[in-house]
Amino acid sequence: MTTPLVLGAMMFGTTVDEDTSFALLDRFVERGGEWIDTADCYAFWASADGRGGHSEQVLGRWLAARPGVRVRIATKLGAEPLEPGSWPDRREGLSPRAVQAAFAGSLDRLGLDRVDLLWLHQEDRSVPIEQTVEALAALPADRVGVSNFPAWLTERGRAHALSLGARPFDALQLNGSYLRPRPGTLPPGVVHRFGVLSDEQSDYAAEHGLEVWAYTPLLSGAYDNPAKPIPDVYDHPGNTLRLAALDAVSVETGATRGQVVLAWLVSRGVRPMLGGSKLHQLDAALDAMDLKLTEEQIRRLDAADHFEWASPYAAAPGTPHWARKTSTR
């Protein structure tokens, strides 16, 4: 039985050495792992040469050493710096020429002739999305998705693909967790203004049948590691209530906060992505895939930060909405 968890390979070949990377990949497959996510730009900021490609190279060597292994590979393009130190001002972008060249490089490093899912890593408004979509239609990828895109641009690209008779974007990859950042802020590590999963994007995905993948779902360990405080962007009254609900369900299930978060995401049809570097972190996340929250627990987690309640000053039927007295807290 496969797991909905995705193994993120971002730091493989840089801060995560090859032996550890292989051990994580082997454990993931042993425990029913299916999807592995990487990108052509991983991890340029941590590499000695200032360039990406190291993660894909490690995955390519692992795949070559495991003939017959059954996994699905997803990679991303569009964010690799053109020269070391030039990101974000100069990156490969999403022109047809850049897309074709970047994808050819990914296939070469991975040692594959096609991938299961190709992501556009971030939007590029210097290029009409229609041109990008037309270039994608000719590439050997079973599926195409978008990461850190606004919903309107996703829809525009999907509409053009359908007009061509090509397969449209069918997946979204965004930052997503149980706690919500304050409006107008971005969590650490999110550099794209449309990089956080919103209610609109969730609704759009549900309406059109798109998969949603959530990166950094565990806030880099902050839910359970006292040495890693929850980032300030999550400090607001709504999250105080959410943490209380999360703690209560954690006690009831005997699971950690992080495991409850992962189980809650899965209950909403979201694929959580784990980027851990230790086997025990991977095992804990995979264990969470077996955690089944009750409908009542999910309801409490969903509604924890809903402030409205029935007002004692309820208006008579027919009263205009602007004349009604409401109470919030």
Side-chain angles (χ1 to χ4, degrees):
M1 182 177 180
T2 60
T3 173
L5 187 74
V6 178
L7 180 61
M10 181 164 62
M11 306 312 297
F12 289 6
T14 49
T15 61
V16 180
D17 63 55
E18 188 152 325
D19 287 345
T20 302
S21 300
F22 275 37
L24 289 165
L25 290 160
D26 288 341
R27 181 68 60 85
F28 184 63
V29 172
E30 288 167 6
R31 297 200 53 184
E34 180 182 27
W35 280 104
I36 301 167
D37 182 83
T38 185
D40 69 342
C41 71
Y42 289 164
F44 69 83
W45 58 93
S47 67
D49 60 6
R51 295 190 177 277
H54 302 277
S55 172
E56 290 179 329
Q57 289 170 347
V58 169
L59 280 174
R61 289 192 287 271
W62 177 76
L63 289 167
R66 308 288 189 272
V69 67
R70 300 186 65 180
V71 292
R72 295 188 179 185
I73 301 296
T75 194
K76 298 184 282 292
L77 56 78
E80 169 74 350
L82 291 180
E83 306 92 19
S86 68
W87 195 93
D89 296 328
R90 286 175 51 79
R91 57 186 176 87
E92 65 192 6
L94 299 178
S95 71
R97 183 176 179 179
V99 165
Q100 292 160 2
F103 189 56
S106 289
L107 292 180
D108 182 61
R109 287 185 291 272
L110 290 165
L112 299 173
D113 56 13
R114 67 183 305 108
V115 296
D116 298 281
L117 176 53
L118 176 61
W119 297 101
L120 302 183
H121 206 156
Q122 60 188 92
E123 62 172 328
D124 178 4
R125 296 199 187 180
S126 71
V127 179
I129 190 65
E130 291 81 3
Q131 293 182 14
T132 305
V133 166
E134 290 167 14
L136 292 170
L139 300 182
D142 292 340
R143 298 168 55 195
V144 180
V146 292
S147 181
N148 307 303
F149 265 53
W152 70 265
L153 190 58
T154 305
E155 172 60 20
R156 185 168 143 185
R158 280 174 52 83
H160 189 63
L162 289 169
S163 75
L164 299 174
R167 183 165 185 166
F169 305 140
D170 67 0
L172 307 178
Q173 184 177 144
L174 297 149
N175 173 272
S177 188
Y178 178 61
L179 297 186
R180 303 175 185 228
R182 288 195 309 272
T185 67
L186 292 175
V190 179
V191 296
H192 318 282
R193 60 177 174 150
F194 298 105
V196 178
L197 179 62
S198 67
D199 289 341
E200 180 183 15
Q201 288 161 322
S202 294
D203 184 63
Y204 178 83
E207 184 70 20
H208 295 283
L210 277 68
E211 275 191 16
V212 177
W213 293 26
Y215 63 81
T216 325
L218 300 181
L219 310 186
S220 301
Y223 281 111
D224 296 306
N225 186 347
K228 292 186 175 182
I230 292 174
D232 290 342
V233 296
Y234 296 103
D235 185 10
H236 58 80
N239 279 343
T240 300
L241 297 174
R242 286 201 151 217
L243 280 173
L246 184 60
D247 284 336
V249 174
S250 176
V251 170
E252 292 166 9
T253 59
T256 66
R257 276 178 170 181
Q259 288 175 319
V260 174
V261 169
L262 294 177
W264 176 79
L265 286 168
V266 170
S267 78
R268 297 172 64 85
V270 175
R271 283 190 184 273
M273 304 173 68
L274 183 75
S277 60
K278 298 178 175 60
L279 285 174
H280 72 84
Q281 295 170 334
L282 177 59
D283 282 331
L286 288 165
D287 289 344
M289 299 299 96
D290 296 325
L291 175 61
K292 303 301 180 186
L293 302 176
T294 67
E295 291 185 7
E296 193 274 335
Q297 287 169 335
I298 294 170
R299 183 196 63 77
R300 276 191 285 138
L301 290 167
D302 287 346
D305 57 355
H306 293 185
F307 295 98
E308 294 186 2
W309 79 90
S311 169
Y313 305 105
T319 303
H321 70 86
W322 46 264
R324 296 173 184 264
K325 294 181 179 180
T326 59
S327 300
T328 60
R329 64 178 177 184

